[in-house]
Amino acid sequence: MVVRLILVLSVCLCCSAVSYKEGEGIQVYVNKVGPYFNPHETYAYYSLPVCRPDKIKFRQLSLGEVLVGDRLAESLYEITFRKAVDNAVLCKSTFKQEEVDQ
């Protein structure tokens, strides 16, 4: 059985308006993932076989984020304000057929 998961990347900019200067880094967070037709079944993003940092740093959550089940962690994506990037490789992974079948 193949379960399709929607990967959700959340760019969290807090509750207030944020302004950036040209060349300033923007922190991107990853969130929970789960099947489209069952929003109550969720998994931490880094529980999947994806590129991950050596040490996962979780963001402190607000009460509302906790109540909806968010699990925000810093991602490896590097985004710089007003800097165009055509293509960039985050990492390369090789999987065995058994891992793909899971």
Side-chain angles (χ1 to χ4, degrees):
M1 179 174 144
V2 177
V3 178
R4 295 180 186 214
L5 299 176
I6 295 178
L7 302 178
V8 180
L9 290 176
S10 297
V11 178
C12 298
L13 302 175
C14 198
C15 300
S16 60
V18 176
S19 59
Y20 294 97
K21 296 177 184 168
E22 190 167 338
E24 187 175 356
I26 299 172
Q27 181 63 57
V28 177
Y29 293 92
V30 295
N31 199 350
K32 60 190 175 186
V33 296
Y36 182 75
F37 291 108
N38 186 1
H40 300 292
E41 179 184 352
T42 61
Y43 306 94
Y45 179 81
Y46 286 125
S47 68
L48 300 173
V50 295
C51 302
R52 66 186 76 205
D54 294 329
K55 182 178 180 189
I56 298 171
K57 298 177 186 173
F58 290 94
R59 194 188 83 151
Q60 187 171 359
L61 303 176
S62 69
L63 178 59
E65 291 167 334
V66 171
L67 292 176
V68 297
D70 285 343
R71 303 173 189 174
L72 300 176
E74 291 182 7
S75 74
L76 293 174
Y77 296 97
E78 294 179 8
I79 296 180
T80 304
F81 186 67
R82 295 189 61 124
K83 179 183 176 193
V85 177
D86 291 330
N87 294 308
V89 176
L90 185 61
C91 73
K92 293 184 179 187
S93 298
T94 305
F95 300 101
K96 297 177 185 172
Q97 186 59 43
E98 304 85 48
E99 296 170 316
V100 174
D101 291 339
Q102 288 184 345

